[in-house]
Amino acid sequence: MSSLRTHDDTWDIASSVGATAVMVAAARAAETGRADRLINDPYARILVEGAGAGSWDYIADEAFVAQVTESDPEAGKLFEHMGNYQAVRTHFFDAFFAAAVDAGIRQVVILASGLDSRAFRLPWPAGTTVFEIDQPKVLEYKSATLAEHGVQPTAERREVAIDLRQDWPAALTAAGFDASRPTAWLAEGLLMYLPADAQDRLFTQITELSAPESRLAAESMGVHAPDRRERMRERLASIADKAGVEPMDITELTYEDPDRAEVADWLTANGWRAAAVDSQEEMDRLGRFVEITDSDEPSFSTFTTGVKL
């Protein structure tokens, strides 16, 4: 368990877990600028630029990436791999939502939504309501920043400003959520920030709120070898030093819990029909996998989807 996390910690957009949302948005902005882009997020750069200076400034900086690659080719490959991963992950969950609305689902819940702009950029059918759950300061920043640029949601968007460790089902219901209607749930970039028991509790709560034919998509990380985590930490710290910014150690924010349940197994045992795909397999399929020399795991993460029976 991380030494920096506590049971009641909180954050804004530029600190702790909130800062990781800015880094992910920076990766989406970089991908959007590619000629062969897998996703299109026209609002990512707006959200990053409004967050102030930080390590995220270098994720989309082609000159800096080129400089790092020249001095450390393996670090350059790591940059490329991380960017490709974020693009493939976003592409996968965009497709999940497209399939859900094609099946007639018009109620969506994005858990720990961060700087996710899907409520603004996806072509939601008429009558769709998107609920976003996250820390109050994170939601306030996103809404205010996009409003300043005249950006409007493409669905009815409702904010649920609450920590997922609190009674979020009650807050979600108070915001108009209807548990009798099928729902499309997303837990992207979330589970690694929860200990195993909190993950189980989250999925139990989702299951209790899910009508038959509801759908769920989640990203989960495996447990990585401690020596590899340390080597990765040192490499990223070296890159941050080259950039002249304070290094951000994401491993200090996450929970490496060997007792964590496999998402597909948990869902299958609790009334869902589940399927899982390794992130490497999905990256291969889309032509975006980059072999990293310092890697001893078959896949960085797993993308799981489920349908409530």
Side-chain angles (χ1 to χ4, degrees):
M1 184 171 65
S2 165
S3 62
L4 297 184
R5 300 297 308 283
T6 63
H7 75 282
D8 59 353
D9 58 337
T10 187
W11 50 83
D12 59 19
I13 201 59
S15 63
S16 186
V17 178
T20 67
V22 186
M23 296 176 70
V24 172
R28 291 199 303 269
E31 177 67 19
T32 297
R34 290 178 57 146
D36 62 344
R37 66 190 182 197
L38 293 176
I39 57 108
N40 181 30
D41 187 345
Y43 310 122
R45 190 169 297 280
I46 293 172
L47 292 167
V48 172
E49 290 175 348
S55 56
W56 45 80
D57 292 330
Y58 297 91
I59 292 176
D61 186 338
E62 294 182 2
F64 175 73
V65 174
Q67 176 188 340
V68 168
T69 302
E70 182 177 357
S71 62
D72 185 347
E74 282 301 314
K77 289 172 65 176
L78 178 60
F79 255 103
E80 183 181 4
H81 176 80
M82 291 190 299
N84 283 349
Y85 175 79
Q86 294 298 338
V88 168
R89 180 180 81 166
T90 303
H91 180 274
F92 183 91
F93 294 123
D94 281 0
F96 162 78
F97 279 130
V101 297
D102 283 349
I105 293 178
R106 297 293 182 268
Q107 184 168 249
V108 172
V109 179
I110 302 177
L111 301 156
S113 59
L115 297 186
D116 185 311
S117 65
R118 290 185 175 95
F120 300 86
R121 67 178 178 81
L122 293 185
W124 301 103
T128 302
T129 301
V130 178
F131 296 89
E132 293 191 19
I133 305 177
D134 211 322
Q135 297 261 355
K137 291 181 180 179
V138 175
L139 291 174
E140 288 170 8
Y141 168 78
K142 178 163 61 178
S143 295
T145 302
L146 293 180
E148 287 173 3
H149 289 80
V151 179
Q152 297 296 318
T154 53
E156 181 176 353
R157 175 177 175 266
R158 299 185 186 179
E159 294 184 354
V160 183
I162 191 170
D163 193 297
L164 288 170
R165 293 166 294 189
Q166 299 170 347
D167 190 3
W168 65 266
L172 180 63
T173 301
F177 176 84
D178 184 352
S180 69
R181 298 174 58 198
T183 304
W185 303 86
L186 177 61
E188 177 188 27
L190 166 60
L191 300 183
M192 70 286 289
Y193 300 110
L194 301 176
D197 59 343
Q199 176 179 304
D200 290 348
R201 183 167 60 253
L202 177 71
F203 284 129
T204 297
Q205 292 167 316
I206 291 172
T207 299
E208 292 171 347
L209 292 168
S210 294
E213 300 304 318
S214 290
R215 300 189 178 200
L216 168 69
E219 170 199 28
S220 57
M221 305 295 183
V223 175
H224 302 288
D227 58 336
R228 180 177 182 272
R229 284 163 59 88
E230 181 58 32
R231 292 194 302 271
M232 188 66 68
R233 185 183 296 113
E234 291 173 356
R235 185 176 293 279
L236 292 175
S238 174
I239 294 172
D241 182 64
K242 288 183 176 68
V245 298
E246 186 72 22
M248 181 177 181
D249 187 356
I250 296 177
T251 64
E252 289 294 327
L253 304 175
T254 60
Y255 292 82
E256 284 276 306
D257 197 330
D259 296 324
R260 186 185 302 276
E262 291 289 342
V263 176
D265 292 345
W266 193 99
L267 292 176
T268 299
N270 289 274
W272 297 76
R273 182 175 67 253
V277 59
D278 287 342
S279 61
Q280 179 175 325
E281 180 182 334
E282 188 68 3
M283 294 177 79
D284 274 333
R285 187 181 73 81
L286 295 172
R288 288 297 190 91
F289 180 69
V290 177
E291 185 69 41
I292 303 298
T293 301
D294 191 22
S295 176
D296 54 8
E297 288 90 20
S299 190
F300 177 69
S301 70
T302 302
F303 304 144
T304 302
T305 56
V307 177
K308 183 70 161 53
L309 302 176

